[in-house]
Amino acid sequence: MLDDFLVRAMLASVGVAVAAAPLGCFVIWRRMAYFGDATAHAAVLGVALSLALSMPIFAGVLVVCLLMAITVSSLSGRGFAMDTLLGVASHSSLAIGLVAVSFLSGVRIDLMSYLFGDILAVGKMDLLVIWGGALIVLGLIVWRWSGLLLSTLNPDLALASGFKPKQEQFILTIALAIVVAVAIKVVGVLLIAAMLIVPAATARAFSHTPEVMAIIAACLGAFCGLSGLQASYSFDTPTGPTIVCVSALLFIITNLVLKIFRSSRFTASST
């Protein structure tokens, strides 16, 4: 079954979605959208490092993303505004990575596949890495759910309850770096943030509890991944961007329908 490239692509898209979408809920709750974007941009520098040292792409991307996230977290509040730090780190790491790749002689690299993904080229080993990373992220979220949620909603209450907000933030940073490392093959570094944010933002409209929002986000992410893959195959469009377009379209339609529904209810109740 795994010899079919479309089956591998479907499994890869679902694997990334079920890890990225629940994690995206915390990104939204903590208002860390730009943080996720900056971590994703640092992945290009990780790709250059991996190729230069002849090491696995996943390992290089994971190391660089973790270093970038830890550096930004350490410098925040020490005379630097968080948005300024993220802006500098995001664009600098992307630019340095692109320049570093151009200096690699004797290495053939399809830069577009790392920027926008190449899900149709996912191999069996890539699939193993994607699902291994996804299971690690899901395990971290389930294991630290109470601490992560409480630290997100009220750090003082989390501290009083025996949790360490800084430690929970570090765990969230690790999970985010893992998602970026495994998603680079599916949607590329420029679109990973969309896989984190858009399904979670869509799920918010249907959710009354954080747990429900995380589950719905994972389901919507998987649905958008499979639908985007089908649309890409049918219309011969780039797969990664198509998946993101489907996610964005679902977000727009959902909010328009809900707005119309609420408006009609308000009109009916007022009459």
Side-chain angles (χ1 to χ4, degrees), residues 174-256:
I174 293 175
L176 187 60
I178 294 174
V179 165
V180 169
V182 301
I184 190 172
K185 191 75 173 179
V186 177
V187 291
V189 299
L190 297 182
L191 299 174
I192 291 173
M195 291 290 288
L196 285 165
I197 298 167
V198 181
T202 306
R204 173 181 271 179
F206 302 100
S207 311
H208 298 289
T209 65
E211 293 81 4
V212 171
M213 180 174 170
I215 294 172
I216 293 178
C219 294
L220 290 177
F223 169 77
C224 291
L226 295 175
S227 301
L229 186 62
Q230 178 62 45
S232 171
Y233 184 76
S234 301
F235 299 108
D236 193 22
T237 54
T239 308
T242 304
I243 291 174
V244 175
C245 286
V246 171
S247 300
L249 185 62
L250 182 61
F251 172 78
I252 293 171
I253 292 174
T254 298
N255 282 275
L256 283 177

Side-chain angles (χ1 to χ4, degrees), residues 88-230:
V88 172
S90 173
H91 302 299
S92 298
S93 58
L94 178 60
I96 294 171
L98 293 174
V99 172
V101 167
S102 68
F103 279 111
L104 296 175
S105 58
V107 178
R108 296 184 61 185
I109 176 174
D110 181 9
L111 193 57
M112 294 296 288
S113 67
Y114 290 108
L115 293 177
F116 299 103
D118 190 11
I119 190 174
L120 297 180
V122 169
K124 294 180 181 178
M125 185 55 65
D126 296 321
L127 204 56
L128 182 63
V129 170
I130 288 171
W131 271 98
L135 291 176
I136 291 174
V137 170
L138 288 175
L140 284 174
I141 292 175
V142 172
W143 174 47
R144 304 302 303 174
W145 177 264
S146 298
L148 287 171
L149 186 61
L150 203 55
S151 298
T152 298
L153 300 176
N154 193 325
D156 294 331
L157 182 59
L159 196 61
S161 302
F163 297 106
K164 299 177 181 179
K166 285 290 185 181
Q167 178 181 313
E168 303 302 332
Q169 183 177 350
F170 181 69
I171 292 173
L172 191 63
T173 299
I174 293 175
L176 187 60
I178 294 174
V179 165
V180 169
V182 301
I184 190 172
K185 191 75 173 179
V186 177
V187 291
V189 299
L190 297 182
L191 299 174
I192 291 173
M195 291 290 288
L196 285 165
I197 298 167
V198 181
T202 306
R204 173 181 271 179
F206 302 100
S207 311
H208 298 289
T209 65
E211 293 81 4
V212 171
M213 180 174 170
I215 294 172
I216 293 178
C219 294
L220 290 177
F223 169 77
C224 291
L226 295 175
S227 301
L229 186 62
Q230 178 62 45

Side-chain angles (χ1 to χ4, degrees), residues 41-52:
H41 285 179
V44 177
L45 187 56
V47 171
L49 179 66
S50 301
L51 295 175

Side-chain angles (χ1 to χ4, degrees), residues 42-107:
V44 177
L45 187 56
V47 171
L49 179 66
S50 301
L51 295 175
L53 300 179
S54 300
M55 58 190 295
I57 298 294
F58 174 80
V61 170
L62 183 61
V63 168
V64 171
C65 289
L66 278 175
L67 287 176
M68 195 284 299
I70 293 171
T71 301
V72 171
S73 298
S74 301
L75 291 176
S76 63
R78 299 185 180 182
F80 297 96
M82 177 60 83
D83 59 342
T84 302
L85 279 173
L86 289 175
V88 172
S90 173
H91 302 299
S92 298
S93 58
L94 178 60
I96 294 171
L98 293 174
V99 172
V101 167
S102 68
F103 279 111
L104 296 175
S105 58
V107 178

